[in-house]
Amino acid sequence: MEAGSATVIMVQFAIFARSLETGRGVEIDVTETIASTRFETVIGLEVHAQVLTKSKMYCSCSAEYASAEPNTHVCHVCMGLPGALPVINREAIELCVLTGLALDCTIAPFSKLDRKNYVYPDLPKGYQVSQYDLPLCQNGTLVFESNGEPVTAGITRVHIEEDTGRLLHRTASDGSDISLVDLNRSGVPLMEIVGEPDLRSPEHARDYLIALRQILRYIGASTGNMEEGAFRCDANVSLREAGSTEFGAKVEIKNMNSFRAVERALRYEVERQQGVLEAGGTIEQETRGWVDARGVTVGQRTKEAAHDYRYFPEPDLPPLALGADIVERIAARLPELPAARRARFVEAFGLGEPEAAILTGERETADYFESVCESAPAEGRSRLAANWILNDLFGLQRERGLPPDRMPVSADQLAGLLDMLEADQISARAAKELLAQLGPGETAIDKARSLNLLPLDDDDAIRTAALETIEAFPAAADDYRNGKKAAIGRLLGETIKRTGGRARPDAARAILEELLNSPS
Amino acid sequence: MELTLDEVRHVAALARLGLTDAEQELMRDQLSSILGHINALNELDTESIPPTASVAALQNVWRDDTVQSSLPREQVLMNAPRQNEGCFEVDTPLGGEESSS
């Protein structure tokens, strides 16, 4: 291979994100990292995210298509009937600008929409209304963490466009292939977020996507749900000789439907290109599809003149002039972003980095944590709250099959439970039991009472349990009397168990010691 | 303004139209005539006219994000030559996958 023929693999991802997968739910592929000193991997991602609006981009049909009957959220505009007049959904523009602001983009003071022409059955108008040369947002950055290191990736642009309909493939009774067109998704607002080829590994790509998705969820611009197609990703991958500054022929990878698929597909593609280059071959610029079941990328038939989209300004939609006043008003909607919140959690609550990262994974979880902490400024509350959320509430959440942004009990309920723990009104064991039983609208204290989980203050009852225990475990009792003081542990545990876990350990211990030390 | 046959074939391919040789000739003549007509605009002196993507003196024409009712499905599908499972039915396009925006 010639030295100059930069074999950069630039991967561009277009992400269709709408999964409930979150950073903490993401499976990490543990296959070994590709190590090549000869080549550098260059990846750029292109994400398509569904903008979280109620209605469509250019008409007032419902944007909800996941559970609707086919072709029930359709009108003359989104089915492309002649003479229909589209009108821009202001909220979609605002959420696109909000995304640009969250990614440190420059917001265009003047922007317009353009027609991108191509023919396909899922595109009833024969063109998609998108943005060509004047996107809403440009020149941003996304800073994310990968392998404990901060990585800064450029954001080329964020623009607004519309989704296509959906095709359902069937085999007709005569054996021919037919497709059924459902236009419910036609005209649903999408943002295209194009990243610079600044990513250097499949892990970077995965972590970039997780961080981007988290931001979109924080600002309420998209659900980021990848499985449902609300967050879709395409990647441009190329390899180049280490040290080269030129890019090699890029291969576009499509059809990656999860974070894990993105990482696996890229890993496969990098290795494939490496193999070709090391064997003295050259990389063809092409589009390849990821076949998840087989774990390979395969070349896709490329349509001739596929990129001849004949863009021109959309004559039915006047341009957008977003003055400083409008942008300022949109900026006021920006919440504290995940990275800042993570840092503040470490600083203000004394949490470790990993805990802070998990607690700020979903905005709702972070709000929940803060609300539980606020209710009691007691020293140690944040630690306790963090432990309970990370260990017990997440566990219960998984058990009950709740989405990651929904907690099994309310913040008030957890605060009540922690109040009791802090006041030593309930044992840790009983508190766990209480958590599992706590239903909607019940307060922790009332429920603890009705479940008999409050500590047993009745010394006689504890004494009875202790006597029973000593009788049942004479060997341990003798050990203790013969000087093996540690043997009391066994007896203590059993005594508490016999009170249904309600005896306070110190009270039970005192009574046991008294019984064992008194001459029998 | 004379289009070449290659240009006609290219535009036809983009529009997924199969044209016979005679139709290609016909389209060349007709499209050439239309373009020639539009080309008359080039005779105007536009030196002092700023370029624009929109001729209406409008900007920021938008609506609130509210949902209104859609068309009844019978109306959506009423002109479809083939219907199936509440959908428009078509022959599966080459490649068989969704177009990607």
Side-chain angles (χ1 to χ4, degrees), chain A residues 413 438-442:
Chain A
Q413 286 178 316
L438 208 49
E442 295 172 331

Side-chain angles (χ1 to χ4, degrees), chain A residues 48 53-57 59-62 70-74 79 87-91 112 118-120 122 128 161 169-170 177-181 183 185 190 254 303 305 308 310 313 318-322, chain B residues 10-11 14-16 52-54 56 58-73 75-77 79 82-101:
Chain A
H48 283 92
T53 56
K54 297 184 198 72
S55 65
K56 291 189 180 182
M57 187 62 224
C59 64
S60 299
C61 288
S62 168
N71 293 305
T72 52
H73 293 169
V74 178
M79 68 188 296
V87 186
I88 293 169
N89 183 337
R90 178 179 186 145
E91 176 67 0
K112 68 176 169 66
Y118 66 94
V119 175
Y120 210 75
D122 61 12
Q128 178 193 33
E161 59 183 34
H169 300 297
R170 300 275 189 276
D177 289 331
I178 57 167
S179 297
L180 306 180
V181 186
L183 295 180
R185 201 181 65 185
L190 285 182
K254 288 182 172 290
K303 291 166 254 162
D308 195 349
R310 294 152 293 145
L320 296 166
L322 304 183
Chain B
H10 176 63
V11 172
L14 288 173
R16 301 285 191 277
T52 179
S54 170
L58 294 170
Q59 58 189 28
N60 299 349
V61 177
W62 43 33
R63 61 181 175 82
D64 288 340
D65 181 29
T66 50
V67 174
Q68 284 172 21
S69 49
S70 302
L71 290 175
R73 187 156 74 181
Q75 280 186 33
V76 170
L77 297 173
N79 291 323
R82 284 152 62 193
Q83 299 178 22
N84 194 343
E85 297 179 34
C87 294
F88 301 88
E89 185 189 297
V90 297
D91 295 335
T92 295
L94 279 184
E97 353 107 7
E98 259 175 294
S99 72
S100 157
S101 42

Side-chain angles (χ1 to χ4, degrees), chain B residues 27-78:
Chain B
M27 286 302 133
R28 179 177 60 178
D29 292 346
Q30 292 188 352
L31 287 173
S32 296
S33 153
I34 292 167
L35 286 175
H37 184 68
I38 300 294
N39 202 38
L41 287 172
N42 280 339
E43 291 165 21
L44 289 174
D45 179 7
T46 55
E47 196 59 34
S48 60
I49 302 172
T52 179
S54 170
V55 290
L58 294 170
Q59 58 189 28
N60 299 349
V61 177
W62 43 33
R63 61 181 175 82
D64 288 340
D65 181 29
T66 50
V67 174
Q68 284 172 21
S69 49
S70 302
L71 290 175
R73 187 156 74 181
E74 306 78 70
Q75 280 186 33
V76 170
L77 297 173
M78 66 186 290

Side-chain angles (χ1 to χ4, degrees), chain A residues 56-109:
Chain A
K56 291 189 180 182
M57 187 62 224
Y58 306 113
C59 64
S60 299
C61 288
S62 168
E64 205 292 305
Y65 60 83
S67 60
E69 284 292 304
N71 293 305
T72 52
H73 293 169
V74 178
C75 73
H76 53 292
V77 172
C78 55
M79 68 188 296
L81 293 185
L85 186 67
V87 186
I88 293 169
N89 183 337
R90 178 179 186 145
E91 176 67 0
I93 298 295
E94 293 208 2
L95 290 175
C96 183
V97 169
L98 196 63
T99 301
L101 291 170
L103 296 171
D104 256 332
C105 289
T106 306
I107 308 304

